[in-house]
Amino acid sequence: MSESVRTTPSPLLTTAGAVPNADDSPDAGVAWHYGDPLREQRTAERAVAVVDRSNRFVLSIGGDERLSWLHTISSQYVTNLADGGSAENLSLDLNGRVEHHFVLTDLDGTTWVDTEAATGPDLLTFLQKMVFWAKAEPKPAPETAVLSLLGPDVRRPRFLEALGIAELPGTYEAVALPGDGFLRSMPWPGEHAWDLVVPRERLGDWWRTLTDAGAAPAGTWAYEALRVTALRPRLGVDTDDRTIPHEVGWIGDVAEHGAVHLDKGCYRGQETVARVHNLGKPPRHLVLLHLDGSADTRPAPGDAVTAGGRTVGRVGTVVDHHELGPIALALVKRSVPADTTLEAGNTAAAIDADSVPAHEEFQPGRAAVDRLRGR
């Protein structure tokens, strides 16, 4: 059942001007753009746009112990998540490498989880295998879909009226929508971002309601462009099978807009997280690349980033931005200086110096070692 959700095209692809993503895209089944992708980006930043993200895999978790159980098997502190609270979370392997990234919202006795279409079935299988004796019931929710509203004009009264709510929720908070579903505030891909998690059968109704209120249709191209400039990674595109949370900025609790709480109890992969936090630094880090716009081709996710013919990283998301031109996220070795001449695939590239993490976090373990050595 979950497999059919991943591959069935969205009914919103019949919207005038809709251009679908390629079949091999992680966003296959929804619109890439509606004829003017750069304008769609500007609208999402300066006015209001609605993006069909109904390709997201959604599952639900019922049961009285759903949060305390999820707390023990994932990286975020969620055991005391308030009703209407949301968080980003990770599932790690035994070596601390990221297997799953997901967003969760707990509302009215159910925890709703949405994640990547390609990895959603595996996440569901993992959760179901980990239940054991806990009162938790993870199951697929193919009848549920995600839309995203982007832009400052969502705060205007006409959108509150269209949404049927008195006020917008705060960051990582959710409020119920009339007739089922909820609205969730997110800290990315832009400064003004909300997700509607609604019954799939009402996807068209909500699309019409929002566009009638003034939201412009925008494709995943616009969403991805904003996400890249916000330096927000995407699982399976900006990560590989060696990625640890520190490399891509997923460290932090809910208040810090992260996905890994550093002071919570034991969970799979915690040893690696603790070791890097206390003693070391990540071997790679996520940066923004500016690509040569005069090149005939663009690099693809997974292509090598090289310096003088030596591989120093991998390309992630590649997108054309309405102001910055062709850009990409990339995981590069932490030792590579920001002014290094690079190639991404066969395209000349340069690191945006402002995107390079400082790595100046306090390390308790390292400080203790230095004290023992009299430093």
Side-chain angles (χ1 to χ4, degrees):
M1 179 163 51
S2 58
E3 186 71 21
S4 64
V5 172
R6 287 173 49 198
T7 57
T8 301
S10 167
L12 299 179
L13 282 173
T14 60
T15 302
V19 176
N21 278 278
D23 290 342
D24 60 352
S25 164
D27 287 318
V30 295
W32 184 31
H33 62 84
Y34 293 86
D36 195 344
L38 301 185
R39 181 179 181 180
E40 292 166 26
Q41 293 176 33
R42 291 191 292 270
T43 301
E45 287 185 337
R46 303 169 187 175
V48 58
V50 58
V51 182
D52 179 9
R53 299 177 67 225
S54 60
N55 59 313
R56 295 279 287 174
F57 184 94
V58 183
L59 62 94
S60 65
I61 307 173
D64 294 342
E65 296 176 347
R66 64 191 181 281
L67 288 177
S68 58
W69 163 77
L70 190 59
H71 181 90
T72 64
I73 60 172
S74 59
S75 63
Q76 188 57 276
Y77 197 109
V78 297
T79 191
N80 60 350
L81 197 67
D83 185 54
S86 301
E88 293 180 61
N89 209 339
L90 303 178
S91 174
L92 309 178
D93 70 9
L94 290 171
N95 295 306
R97 295 170 295 203
V98 180
E99 290 189 334
H100 300 284
H101 170 262
F102 53 98
V103 184
L104 64 97
T105 298
D106 195 71
L107 188 66
D108 294 335
T110 299
T111 299
W112 299 92
V113 172
D114 60 284
T115 188
E116 295 290 339
T119 57
D122 288 340
L123 174 61
L124 175 61
T125 298
F126 167 73
L127 294 176
Q128 290 174 331
K129 287 180 177 178
M130 295 300 292
V131 170
F132 300 115
W133 57 83
K135 295 179 181 178
E137 302 171 2
K139 59 183 180 181
E143 72 282 356
T144 305
V146 180
L147 295 173
S148 288
L149 265 177
L150 307 175
D153 283 1
V154 178
R155 301 186 182 278
R156 295 185 179 273
R158 69 176 185 271
F159 277 100
L160 295 180
E161 182 178 353
L163 291 165
I165 59 176
E167 59 182 359
L168 292 167
T171 303
Y172 285 133
E173 294 179 354
V175 296
L177 291 169
D180 207 1
F182 59 87
L183 178 76
R184 175 180 66 207
S185 176
M186 293 292 292
W188 58 275
E191 183 181 357
H192 310 281
W194 294 267
D195 292 334
L196 286 82
V197 182
V198 297
R200 188 171 292 272
E201 64 181 12
R202 296 198 60 205
L203 197 61
D205 294 337
W206 274 112
W207 184 266
R208 286 186 292 273
T209 295
L210 296 171
T211 54
D212 287 349
T220 56
W221 184 335
Y223 189 95
E224 293 292 270
L226 269 61
R227 180 181 64 80
V228 168
T229 56
L231 293 174
R232 289 284 182 163
R234 183 171 184 179
L235 184 78
V237 183
D238 304 304
T239 67
D240 57 19
D241 58 6
R242 297 184 294 118
T243 301
I244 60 175
H246 283 84
E247 293 181 318
V248 290
W250 269 330
I251 300 298
D253 59 22
V254 174
E256 297 169 309
H257 303 169
V260 179
H261 195 291
L262 291 172
D263 296 322
K264 71 181 292 286
C266 186
Y267 58 92
R268 189 176 67 172
Q270 183 192 25
E271 294 82 0
T272 297
V273 172
R275 184 167 60 250
V276 175
H277 172 65
N278 285 295
L279 293 170
K281 297 184 185 299
R284 304 176 295 177
H285 51 206
L286 191 72
V287 298
L288 178 69
L289 295 183
H290 295 276
L291 305 175
D292 180 7
S294 66
D296 293 333
T297 60
R298 298 276 191 270
D303 281 355
V305 177
T306 58
R310 178 173 60 95
T311 298
V312 296
R314 71 177 297 278
V315 176
T317 305
V318 180
V319 68
D320 281 78
H321 187 270
H322 70 98
E323 289 182 337
L324 300 177
I327 55 176
L329 290 178
L331 270 174
V332 300
K333 292 182 178 180
R334 182 170 46 85
S335 58
V336 176
D339 59 356
T340 304
T341 300
L342 300 175
E343 283 195 347
N346 295 319
T347 304
I351 296 174
D352 187 312
D354 291 337
S355 73
V356 179
H359 298 299
E360 295 176 346
E361 301 86 353
F362 175 70
Q363 296 179 290
R366 180 60 60 191
V369 170
D370 289 344
R371 285 195 299 271
L372 287 173
R373 295 177 177 175
R375 295 177 182 172

